[in-house]
Amino acid sequence: MPRPSLLSILLIAALGACTRAPYTDPSLAPDREIITQDEIEASHGGSAYDVIRKLHGNFLSYRGRTSIKDTVTSMPMVFMDDQVYGPISVLRNIPASQIAEIRLYRAWEATIKYGSGLPGGAIAIYSRLER
């Protein structure tokens, strides 16, 4: 059996490099910062905390200290229908059956949407009653 020459290997590699990757529409990709109503129902979680823990545990993660002087927590603050609702612990009191959408806002997004003082970002819960 003849061995392939270096030229033929390089030619195959060059032709392979010229092919295009399949096109994927970014608008069809799931948003990693949003948990939809369908995902909430499929998770079978009893509370908002259960749903988030099952589907996007990173929403509940500690963001680290943001300042040497400032002792403000770097955990996300919870908002319900765009109103301050409390710290992460309140997620256990929100029944999953009443939630239309859960969204994580990073610190800079939370500052734009809700104002300063949210170094850990925000978890926004939108109820089925509002939407």
Side-chain angles (χ1 to χ4, degrees), residues 34-123:
I34 296 175
I35 301 174
T36 65
Q37 186 171 340
D38 291 338
E39 292 173 314
I40 293 166
E41 290 170 358
S43 77
H44 301 291
S47 68
Y49 184 86
D50 296 334
V51 170
I52 293 170
R53 188 176 44 83
K54 287 181 182 181
L55 299 177
H56 291 283
N58 65 312
F59 283 22
L60 304 171
S61 64
Y62 177 67
R63 305 289 188 255
R65 287 190 68 173
T66 57
S67 171
I68 294 172
K69 291 187 219 176
D70 207 358
T71 59
V72 175
T73 181
S74 292
M75 294 297 286
M77 180 65 71
V78 177
F79 286 77
M80 177 72 110
D81 296 322
D82 291 328
Q83 301 297 314
V84 176
Y85 200 71
I88 283 191
S89 60
V90 301
L91 291 171
R92 294 181 192 274
N93 302 330
I94 304 170
S97 60
Q98 295 179 1
I99 302 170
E101 181 180 284
I102 302 171
R103 181 183 174 117
L104 174 68
Y105 289 100
R106 302 288 178 196
W108 65 272
E109 295 171 310
T111 299
I112 292 170
K113 184 157 180 79
Y114 300 114
S116 63
L118 299 167
I123 296 175

